[in-house]
Amino acid sequence: MLSFVFWCKTTAETASVATAQTANILVGPPGRTELLMRFDTRSVLSPNASLEKIHYEFGLSWMLDVNSSLFTYLPPYDFFSFHNPGFTPTLEFPDAKRCKVEAVRILCGESVSCLFDAVTTGSLNFANDSLQENKVFEKIKEQSIKIVSCGFPGKVKNGYTNGSIYLQGSVLSVMCGKGFSLVGSTVLTCEETGRWSDFLPTCIPDEICAPPNISNAQLTESNYTLGSFLGVSCLDGFTLDGPSVLNCTETGKWIPELPECNKNHFFSTAIIIKTIAAVVSALILLVIIIFATVLIGRKKCGRRPTKSDMHQMAKQKAEQIYYVHDTDVYDNASC
């Protein structure tokens, strides 16, 4: 029992590893470093739960049976040789201050595990073994340094990485194979946060865009690599409908959308529309001229005659009378 509690305490310091190794048993809530023990019913055990609750309500609920055990046993032993649901552990930690055995107090001092083993087993040798093991563990812990690893960044399809060390400060360079171009950062650095400085780049084919299929068109370039520009024009007798310049993107598509080359027709819709527009414009201009002429004529007829106008009118009248009289004379003579 003590070993189980001690294991939970030490693995809580490496929550990510413990969680992966004890799926569905230990769970760490977001934003917290400690691990909580979860019942088989998915409810979570309180961090302040007593040892009795931990053993009887939590521990026994996860007890394995012969079908779920992953252990392999050598004859004459089997699963039931070590299966004892009726085992009653010692659920109280002894108090070192209340220990009346002087040899135990001298040996264990403040070590809870040593004191527990001494009182539970009655063996000072067993308690001393636990004490020495704890001292070795603490010494190793003090001498250890924190190692930050970013882990394997992953494989680069159609490329490769130079470097096999993934610890803090390590630098990896990424390159692409022949016929491929790199998109992203060429250098990755393992930072103190345990993350790589950038996302893993990708390698895409040099000729990433397929040749555009545009009927009755001429292409100014035959380069279909990433970022290239392609000019489009139509053959004689055809008109371009759409953009005249295309760009090859990293998605393997040309942007904007491909244009079309439409055949020129004498009575095409565009020509008909232009002709109608010209006729309408001419009619409008003619109407304006006629209207202006009528308006000017009305203004002239509506003004009062001057003395010069009256003299001219009298002269014209006299000429008309003379012409009529002269005609009558010749008519009578002929008779």
Side-chain angles (χ1 to χ4, degrees), residues 88-306:
T88 303
T90 301
L91 300 175
E92 293 183 3
F93 283 112
D95 188 352
K97 296 180 180 180
R98 295 184 181 181
C99 181
K100 297 181 181 181
V101 182
E102 184 176 358
V104 174
R105 292 201 305 269
I106 294 174
L107 173 66
C108 297
E110 299 295 330
S111 175
V112 177
S113 59
C114 175
L115 184 61
F116 180 88
D117 290 342
V119 174
T120 303
T121 65
S123 172
L124 290 179
N125 291 332
F126 189 88
N128 185 57
D129 290 341
S130 297
L131 180 63
Q132 298 307 317
E133 289 179 359
N134 285 343
K135 288 182 178 180
V136 172
F137 174 78
E138 292 297 331
K139 185 176 181 179
I140 294 175
K141 188 176 179 180
E142 291 176 359
Q143 296 176 347
S144 300
I145 59 174
K146 184 179 180 181
I147 298 178
V148 177
S149 174
C150 293
F152 179 58
K155 293 183 178 181
V156 181
K157 188 177 180 181
N158 301 315
Y160 55 92
T161 58
N162 288 329
S164 58
I165 300 176
Y166 313 129
L167 303 180
Q168 179 182 349
S170 300
V171 178
L172 298 181
S173 59
V174 185
M175 299 182 180
C176 294
K178 186 177 181 180
F180 294 86
S181 298
L182 188 140
V183 178
S185 177
T186 58
V187 176
L188 302 178
T189 303
C190 180
E191 300 178 338
E192 61 181 4
T193 58
R195 297 179 179 273
W196 291 104
S197 58
D198 208 335
F199 294 103
L200 193 67
T202 56
C203 293
I204 60 176
D206 287 340
E207 291 196 356
I208 185 173
C209 292
N213 184 17
I214 307 174
S215 301
N216 305 307
Q218 290 179 328
L219 306 179
T220 57
E221 297 288 344
S222 59
N223 182 13
Y224 309 130
T225 59
L226 174 64
S228 62
F229 290 90
L230 187 67
V232 183
S233 61
C234 293
L235 300 175
D236 292 339
F238 295 86
T239 302
L240 183 69
D241 182 12
S244 60
V245 178
L246 303 176
N247 177 227
C248 178
T249 64
E250 61 184 36
T251 60
K253 296 182 178 180
W254 293 100
I255 58 173
E257 293 185 0
L258 299 183
E260 295 180 352
C261 287
N262 299 321
K263 188 175 183 180
N264 295 334
H265 294 286
F266 182 77
F267 293 106
S268 63
T269 303
I271 296 177
I272 293 175
I273 293 175
K274 291 180 180 179
T275 303
I276 294 175
V279 172
V280 171
S281 300
L283 290 175
I284 293 175
L285 181 61
L286 182 60
V287 170
I288 293 174
I289 294 174
I290 294 173
F291 178 77
T293 303
V294 172
L295 183 61
I296 293 173
R298 286 184 177 180
K299 287 185 177 180
K300 286 184 177 181
C301 294
R303 64 185 180 86
R304 298 181 65 181
T306 62

